[in-house]
Amino acid sequence: MWPGSNPPSGPPPMGPGPGGPPWAPPPARPSRAGPSAGWYTLPIVFALVAVVGMAVMLALFWDDSEAASGPSEVGDARSGVSVELTEGRGYFLYVRDGASTPRSCTVRVGDASGPVRLTTKNSWAESDHQSYRYVGSFEAPVSGQAKLTCGGVSGPLLVTPDDTIHAYLGLSVLVAVLLGVLAILAFVFLLVRRGNARRASASASVPGPYPY
């Protein structure tokens, strides 16, 4: 210290503190292993709906499908068409191209006979028959071998069972197949996601070098 100089005020400067362990980031928190197991109920539900829905449709409409697969019959409109009827089932009527539309039709079974009401029910499902055109539908009032006659039209008359149920069953099969495909895709998707998540979690848990 030089003569006449004032001593420095304040505490003397401090040197570096004692050395400590190098800083390291906290360990990474393990990530979730993808979608939870509960998500697997989704493809299971899809598969169950497909199977149960198809089974219910077949159970409810099997008899209708059998009746709709019955034979078609052709005969003279005035003398009558011999046709096997099932009570409550629908039937389509066709006449030759260019022929007039029947005004009324009558069903005779044995000695009993009665009129049938012509409608256009399920006309969207009528089939194409060469040289014939659709003119109406009716519901069978009785079961058994019957004679169908129609007035207001001459020439051949074609009678076929109403097979609309086949369109509904076909749609049910299509929906069941789509649900089955969705179930498979969902199951594969969940397996892939969970596999990728497990691999990512395993990679994150391996300690790596940290800078000092």
Side-chain angles (χ1 to χ4, degrees):
M1 178 179 298
W2 296 100
S5 64
N6 297 324
S9 61
M14 298 180 63
W23 176 87
R29 182 179 299 177
S31 60
R32 291 184 57 190
S36 64
W39 280 99
Y40 285 102
T41 58
L42 186 62
I44 293 174
V45 168
F46 283 158
L48 285 177
V49 170
V51 173
V52 173
M54 195 67 239
V56 170
M57 287 292 293
L58 288 175
L60 291 177
F61 299 109
W62 180 259
D63 290 341
D64 291 341
S65 178
E66 289 289 306
S69 301
S72 301
E73 302 292 347
V74 179
D76 186 75
R78 291 181 178 176
S79 61
V81 182
S82 295
V83 58
E84 183 71 27
L85 299 179
T86 301
E87 184 178 0
R89 309 295 184 192
Y91 294 83
F92 290 154
L93 289 180
Y94 300 84
V95 298
R96 285 288 193 183
D97 291 337
S100 59
T101 301
R103 293 194 304 267
S104 62
C105 293
T106 301
V107 167
R108 176 180 293 276
V109 178
D111 295 331
S113 65
V116 293
R117 186 168 66 92
L118 296 181
T119 68
T120 56
K121 182 180 179 180
N122 295 333
S123 59
W124 61 269
E126 55 94 3
S127 303
D128 290 330
H129 296 277
Q130 187 175 7
S131 302
Y132 284 90
R133 66 181 181 89
Y134 168 83
V135 292
S137 307
F138 71 93
E139 185 177 293
V142 292
S143 296
Q145 191 68 32
K147 182 79 73 173
L148 176 71
T149 58
C150 292
V153 60
S154 61
L157 186 68
L158 172 63
V159 183
T160 68
D162 181 351
D163 59 354
T164 308
I165 187 61
H166 291 162
Y168 292 140
L169 289 177
L171 181 61
S172 299
V173 171
L174 178 61
V175 172
V177 170
L178 289 177
L179 286 175
V181 171
L182 285 176
I184 294 173
L185 292 178
F187 187 76
V188 172
F189 174 78
L190 290 172
L191 283 180
V192 171
R193 285 293 303 273
R194 286 178 67 85
N196 291 340
R198 287 195 185 98
R199 285 190 291 272
S201 177
S203 300
S205 63
V206 176
Y210 299 112
Y212 289 92

